[in-house]
Amino acid sequence: PKEVAVKEQKRLSRWTTSRVSRAEAAGHRKASATASAGLWEAVKSEPLVWRKLLGTGGGWFFFDWSFYGNHLLQGKILGLILPGDTAADAWENISLDIVGIFVVLFAIQLFPWAGVRWLQFWGFFSGGICCLLIGLLWPALIDNTSGILLVIYYIQYGSYWIPNTTTYVMSALVYKPSIRGTLNGLSAAAGKVGAIIGVTAFTKMFEVCDDKTGDDHQQCINDAVQRVMFTSFAAACGGMFCTIYGVGLEPTGAKNKK
């Protein structure tokens, strides 16, 4: 009888625990559903929310497409412009990254005066123009006056770091706090999709040259560089459109107070 009572007590304890656990799980599901519904209602109540998402997510998509695709090929393109040994290649890449650091520090100082929207637009514009110039001038300059290409390439890389900073902070400017984190996450995800597309597409453009030799290989590489640059120019145009249409170009900060 004592053992039976103990077993019955354990059975009742397990049954009670199970009921409590199911009740807690149901409560968590209900709270999650309520929170999701509240978030969705908050998103729908945001004025021009999908247009803003095009500005933040679309701008991030086109930027990452061009930036990460080009960044992966940075060493290859620098090696074509300035052929050298491993040490020289390393210093070229380091100097290019130093340019990026200085541009970021400078762009941050311009946020209060010029406004994030304008900076993003001009970052896309200057980077796109540099890509277009490299694509157009590459066949004529790569074999003799490659120093001009090098200067343009440094400007292009520096220009990339302007939208690289603005895409991170744009969501804080255009969304209300209740939905800011969610839509910033969606925008960042769109950027990663663009990065995957850019890296894959640009790598494939060069891989088709692996089976070629001699002059045919060099010509194929030159054609691949041009395709990369023209595609990057198109991506910059897409970024400018998303910025203008999605979040607008109204100046902010000190410039807007004048």
Side-chain angles (χ1 to χ4, degrees), residues 131-180:
C131 289
L132 180 63
L133 288 175
I134 293 174
L136 292 174
L137 299 177
W138 186 273
L141 300 183
I142 187 60
D143 292 327
N144 41 44
T145 53
S146 58
I148 297 176
L149 287 176
L150 183 65
V151 172
I152 300 174
Y153 190 68
Y154 269 70
I155 297 173
Q156 176 219 27
Y157 188 76
S159 299
Y160 273 142
W161 286 90
I162 300 175
N164 198 15
T165 58
T166 59
T167 50
Y168 275 98
V169 301
M170 188 67 75
S171 295
L173 296 177
V174 301
Y175 300 122
K176 58 188 177 184
S178 59
I179 61 172
R180 184 178 297 159

Side-chain angles (χ1 to χ4, degrees), residues 166-216:
T166 59
T167 50
Y168 275 98
V169 301
M170 188 67 75
S171 295
L173 296 177
V174 301
Y175 300 122
K176 58 188 177 184
S178 59
I179 61 172
R180 184 178 297 159
T182 299
L183 296 185
N184 183 67
L186 289 175
S187 300
K192 298 315 119 185
V193 172
I196 293 171
I197 294 175
V199 168
T200 303
F202 290 175
T203 300
K204 293 293 184 182
M205 291 180 186
F206 279 89
E207 284 181 350
V208 298
C209 303
D210 292 344
D211 297 332
K212 301 182 183 296
T213 58
D215 293 339
D216 290 338

